[in-house]
Amino acid sequence: MKARRVVITGASSGIGAATVREFRRLGWDVVAVARREERLAALAGETGAEAIVADLTRQEDVDALRERIAASGPIHALVNNAGGAFGVATVEESAVEDWARMFDINVLAVKRVTEALLPLLREGATDAAADDMPHADILTVTSTAGLAAYEGGGGYNAAKFGAHALVAALRLELAGEPIRVLEVAPGMVHTEEFSLNRLGGDQAAADAVYTGVEHPLRAEDVASVIAGVIELPGHVNVDLTVVRPVAQAAQHKLVRGPLTPKR
């Protein structure tokens, strides 16, 4: 049986890079997509993934991405992972420019890439050589910030709520086709860049986000959930998977300190 092929965006670091490694470990052909050429090249050298440099906020880059992928045949899965947060100011005090950046990468980029690659996913969904029950997958990594709002998160909440709504609408629109529409919404994940970027490069502030939290999620944890959902039998659709560390019972309920049984 020939290997199935997955496209993973935001692949140069964090959850995206971990997801590339996980799918390669499982024997998939992987197309890793990100803006940063040097990081992407290093990941491709490490894993054997195909690397394509693209800025998904630029339509011309997405068009070129589609043409390059199409030249190599169909795809069987798309992981919309590219995203990010900028700032923790209130709705009143936050910069509109930060909101626009978050909406562009968390919502519009998902729309651009999904639209561009749907024809290739439809080809993959009829590729009997790749699976005993041919189907294709579109999995979008959103966030628990798209399910519950919190103070200082207005712009990121709005963007991730938008992505969550996009996924829900897409699932309805593709009903009747052998294409699963999946969503993974992580809670607190300790990666090298997410909080650092959100807090304007302040390393001490970024480190403080995770201080005292026993075992926050790592990128590899989320990657294993993403791959696990996609690896399920083709007739099983997991609409939404929420994944948090045990220390985070809800968006507003985070335990800092040891997790110990009550006596």
Side-chain angles (χ1 to χ4, degrees), residues 141-237:
V141 180
T142 58
S143 170
T144 54
L147 306 176
Y150 55 90
E151 294 164 289
Y156 189 54
N157 290 141
K160 287 301 189 182
F161 267 85
H164 175 64
L166 182 159
V167 170
L170 181 66
R171 186 178 300 114
L172 296 172
E173 292 162 359
L174 296 183
E177 299 189 55
I179 299 176
R180 301 188 299 189
V181 179
L182 314 160
E183 179 180 357
V184 171
M188 173 177 273
V189 185
H190 191 176
T191 63
E192 72 254 40
E193 293 186 323
F194 179 83
S195 290
L196 190 64
N197 289 338
R198 185 172 198 175
L199 297 169
D202 186 334
Q203 187 65 64
D207 291 342
V209 171
Y210 311 101
T211 298
V213 178
E214 189 169 301
H215 302 299
L217 295 180
R218 301 289 176 173
E220 293 76 14
D221 300 320
V222 182
S224 69
V225 172
I226 292 169
V229 168
I230 289 178
E231 288 262 289
L232 287 170
H235 67 284
V236 179
N237 197 100

Side-chain angles (χ1 to χ4, degrees), residues 11 49 122:
R122 287 186 170 112

Side-chain angles (χ1 to χ4, degrees), residues 2-8 19-31 47-50 75-79 121 130-131 135-137 180 226-232:
K2 80 178 182 182
R4 301 183 77 203
R5 190 174 181 223
V6 58
V7 176
I8 300 168
T19 304
V20 170
R21 294 185 180 101
E22 180 66 8
F23 273 100
R24 288 297 295 145
R25 184 186 71 81
L26 293 169
W28 286 63
D29 290 338
V30 175
V31 180
T47 63
E50 178 185 359
I75 59 175
H76 306 92
L78 165 63
V79 177
L121 287 158
D131 196 348
H135 67 282
D137 293 299
R180 301 188 299 189
I226 292 169
V229 168
I230 289 178
E231 288 262 289
L232 287 170

Side-chain angles (χ1 to χ4, degrees), residues 8-84:
I8 300 168
T9 69
S12 61
S13 66
I15 292 171
T19 304
V20 170
R21 294 185 180 101
E22 180 66 8
F23 273 100
R24 288 297 295 145
R25 184 186 71 81
L26 293 169
W28 286 63
D29 290 338
V30 175
V31 180
V33 181
R35 291 180 297 109
R36 292 178 290 182
E37 185 172 5
E38 187 174 327
R39 279 177 171 259
L40 205 54
L43 182 65
E46 171 198 337
T47 63
E50 178 185 359
I52 300 180
V53 177
D55 180 346
L56 304 181
T57 67
R58 294 165 51 89
Q59 186 62 47
E60 55 267 41
D61 280 22
V62 175
D63 293 342
L65 173 69
R66 178 191 60 232
E67 295 307 312
R68 181 164 167 185
I69 293 173
S72 302
I75 59 175
H76 306 92
L78 165 63
V79 177
N80 286 310
N81 168 72

